[in-house]
Amino acid sequence: MSLAEPAAPGATPVPEMREQTRRILRLALPPARRLWVAIAFGALSGACAVALLGVSAWLITRAAEQPALMYISLAVVGVRAFALGRAFFRYLERLAGHDAAFGRLGAIRADLFARLVPLGPDGIGARRGADGRRDDRARGGELLSRLADDVDELPDFALRVVQPLVSAGIVVLAGVVGTFLLLPAAGVALLVVLAAAFVVGVLVNRWAAGASERGVAPLRAEVAASVNDLVTNLDVLVAFDALESAGARVRAASARLTGAMRTRAAGLGLTAGAVSLFAGLATVLGLVSGIPALREGRLDGPSLAVVALLPLAVFEVFGSLPLAFGAWRRVRASAERIADTVPATVPEGVPVDTASAAGLAVPGVPDLRVRLARAQWPGSSSPVLRDVALDLRAGERVVLTGPTGAGKTALAHVLVRFLDLDGSYTIDGTEVHDVRQDDVRRVVGLVEQSPYLFDSDLRQNLLFARDTATDDELLAVLERVGLGEWTRSRGGLGTPVGERGALVSGGQAQRIALARALLADFPVLVVDEPTANVDAAVAGRIVHDILRTAADDGRTVVLISHLDVADPLVTRRLHLEDGTLVA
């Protein structure tokens, strides 16, 4: 395999970005058979609104002539029918349209997560500095905004862009044709005014609200990121008296978002005002062309009323057309942000299953052999590991040391296939590039430096490693990692651990993570700096328990640690310096 140098860390090629945006927008559209049902109901509702005003104008004017009731009874029934039909079809259009559009949210999110999973954890938001480090916490609010707010914006593509353009377009065209049949000059005038209103409305909307509509999604993400930063780092901010400045960043981001929302609302108001002016102009032109026709006998009084007032109803339906382009800008901005989150192609450095990937079945504890030419963090242009040759025999207990930034964590991620490598990596002679990556991770497990604990009880934090485990098995594994007495003193497996393990110490969190790894029964276990967040006395006991437990089970352990480890506990020591193993 070859790891190509990226053109720019975190950059997405423009053609790829556009294709991804189009694909996401296509995914947001409901199936045609469901979309056309909503469009049909919308067209019927708009047609009833236009017909209601036209028939009402004709009925009132004709009634003023005091004809026999039989001559206007049909119009009376029509007014009632169109008034009821307008509300009825509007309800059905909303019901069918929203049901179809929101039904796509599940498919969009499922597709988004399906493409995010192969990137995790190192390929998500692969924007790193030269040292390969990335601030995941700072990107947490941004990523959450894209997964939640931007996805929630996509149903507007069907509801406020496609449906109005089609259904309102049909009704407007029918209104122009009807006016032309009554009086050709009025029909032509209405068509010209509609065209002018469309151009002016779109331009006014773009001028007054275009920038704010494109900026709402990024500003909303900025607010989410600043709030997430404030909440997740609250203890540090309080300790260093920086809470006020963090709050100021939240308020400033919120003020910018509020300003953009107000500008957008003002733009929508200006657009509606411009359309209303053209509606009045169309009515005036209808009278200007209709009054001479009335004098010449080419048009009667009730028909003149229809010609004069029908444009108002047509413009009421037409008003959604210029606004659809504003909605299109918002939807497209959200789709582009989603496309930027999940690239169409997996970034270099992220391992993926090939089309011919096979299963991996390993009986017992395997031998591992790594011949690595280089490996690099996704989105980084410089390798973090170079010329690494590593052989791990079954049952070995290896301690890996090295200075900060030497690549120890990168090597751990290579072993569990979070990070790809240029070279060879075999498990009992089977090349990992040729098998499913999830199968590799069932053989080689990782206990991270800062293990994640869910905001639930102890039982649930263990069960996701093996959901079929009984309470007796959970208590037994806790006993093995030295948490038996602590568990009993805290009330058993129902003990809450708090958000991100806030209710347990660093050493207890590491032991819970080790218990999960033992439940998952990984033949090869990589433990990354288990003593980083605990004091020296507790750290020594944790290291001793990890290696003793591994020796009892006969599993292979790679322990990354800065601590001195007693010789009887290990079989070999390795040292990593500047991305290379040294003797």
Side-chain angles (χ1 to χ4, degrees), residues 1 12 59 162 165 171 176 188 198 203 213 271 296 315 317 357 387 417 427 457 467 525 552:
M1 294 189 62
T12 302
L59 175 61
V162 177
L165 286 175
V171 174
V176 170
V188 172
F198 180 78
L203 292 177
E213 283 170 330
T271 303
E296 296 171 5
F315 267 89
V317 178
D387 301 324
R417 298 298 287 152
I427 298 177
D457 57 28
D467 56 9
L525 187 60
D552 292 342

Side-chain angles (χ1 to χ4, degrees), residues 41-57 78-90 167-168 171-172 175 306 309-318:
F41 285 138
L44 288 172
S45 175
C48 286
V50 174
L52 174 63
L53 186 56
V55 174
S56 298
V79 167
R80 292 175 178 175
F82 291 133
L84 292 174
R86 178 186 182 183
F88 177 69
F89 289 122
R90 179 64 168 169
S167 60
V171 174
V172 167
V306 173
L309 296 180
L310 195 65
L312 294 178
V314 172
F315 267 89
E316 180 184 351
V317 178
F318 168 85

Side-chain angles (χ1 to χ4, degrees), residues 6 13 39 77 104 200 238 247 312 325 352 378 394 420 445 448 484 495 557 571:
I39 290 173
V77 173
R104 299 303 300 162
V200 172
V238 172
L312 294 178
F325 286 85
V352 293
D420 206 359
E448 293 185 290
T495 300
V557 171
T571 58

Side-chain angles (χ1 to χ4, degrees), residues 152-489:
D152 287 342
E153 195 79 39
L154 292 182
D156 282 352
F157 183 44
L159 296 174
R160 290 182 169 83
V161 180
V162 177
Q163 279 182 225
L165 286 175
V166 179
S167 60
I170 292 172
V171 174
V172 167
L173 181 61
V176 170
V177 171
T179 304
F180 184 85
L181 293 176
L182 288 174
L183 185 63
V188 172
L190 178 58
L191 180 61
V192 172
V193 174
L194 283 170
F198 180 78
V199 173
V200 172
V202 170
L203 292 177
V204 168
N205 184 265
R206 182 176 181 179
W207 167 74
S212 61
E213 283 170 330
R214 289 189 297 270
V216 163
L219 288 172
R220 192 167 49 207
E222 183 183 349
V223 172
S226 58
V227 170
N228 180 76
D229 182 62
L230 173 63
V231 173
T232 55
N233 298 294
L234 186 59
D235 50 350
V236 178
L237 294 171
V238 172
F240 286 89
D241 196 24
L243 186 59
E244 180 59 33
S245 60
R249 286 195 296 272
V250 174
R251 290 190 293 272
S254 178
R256 286 191 290 272
L257 176 60
T258 302
M261 298 288 284
R262 287 176 176 169
T263 302
R264 186 177 74 175
L268 296 178
L270 287 174
T271 303
V275 171
S276 297
L277 289 176
F278 278 98
L281 176 61
T283 299
V284 171
L285 291 179
L287 287 172
V288 168
S289 59
I291 291 175
L294 177 66
R295 291 172 178 170
E296 296 171 5
R298 292 183 290 112
L299 199 68
D300 57 16
S303 297
L304 175 63
V306 173
V307 169
L309 296 180
L310 195 65
L312 294 178
V314 172
F315 267 89
E316 180 184 351
V317 178
F318 168 85
S320 62
L321 294 181
L323 299 181
F325 286 85
W328 162 245
R329 285 190 292 270
R330 296 196 307 272
V331 169
R332 185 176 60 184
S334 292
E336 287 173 349
R337 284 167 47 79
I338 295 172
D340 184 54
T341 303
V342 187
T345 58
V346 176
E348 291 289 343
V350 177
V352 293
D353 291 337
T354 62
S356 59
L360 176 65
V362 178
V365 180
D367 292 332
L368 274 59
R369 183 177 186 273
V370 178
R371 295 294 182 268
L372 180 151
R374 71 170 186 160
Q376 65 192 49
W377 294 113
S380 174
S381 58
S382 58
V384 66
L385 295 171
R386 308 175 191 82
D387 301 324
V388 173
L390 174 63
D391 292 301
L392 294 174
R393 293 180 293 276
E396 277 197 302
R397 299 183 301 281
V398 177
V399 172
L400 178 63
T401 60
T404 300
K408 301 186 299 298
T409 297
L411 182 57
H413 283 210
V414 166
L415 292 176
V416 295
R417 298 298 287 152
F418 289 160
L419 196 62
D420 206 359
L421 74 155
D422 185 357
S424 174
Y425 173 17
T426 62
I427 298 177
D428 268 352
T430 302
E431 179 61 53
V432 296
H433 294 112
D434 300 329
V435 299
R436 290 190 292 267
Q437 306 309 309
D438 284 346
D439 288 352
V440 176
R441 297 181 190 114
R442 292 187 183 96
V443 176
V444 185
L446 174 65
V447 177
E448 293 185 290
Q449 178 175 335
S450 299
Y452 188 92
L453 297 183
F454 296 93
D455 189 9
S456 184
D457 57 28
L458 185 57
R459 177 185 289 106
Q460 292 303 319
N461 272 278
L462 294 174
L463 281 178
F464 87 88
R466 178 152 50 97
D467 56 9
T468 58
T470 64
D471 282 0
D472 289 340
E473 290 173 325
L474 298 181
L475 291 171
V477 78
L478 288 171
E479 196 74 46
R480 292 186 63 192
V481 298
L483 289 179
E485 181 61 34
W486 175 82
T487 302
R488 288 188 291 272
S489 68

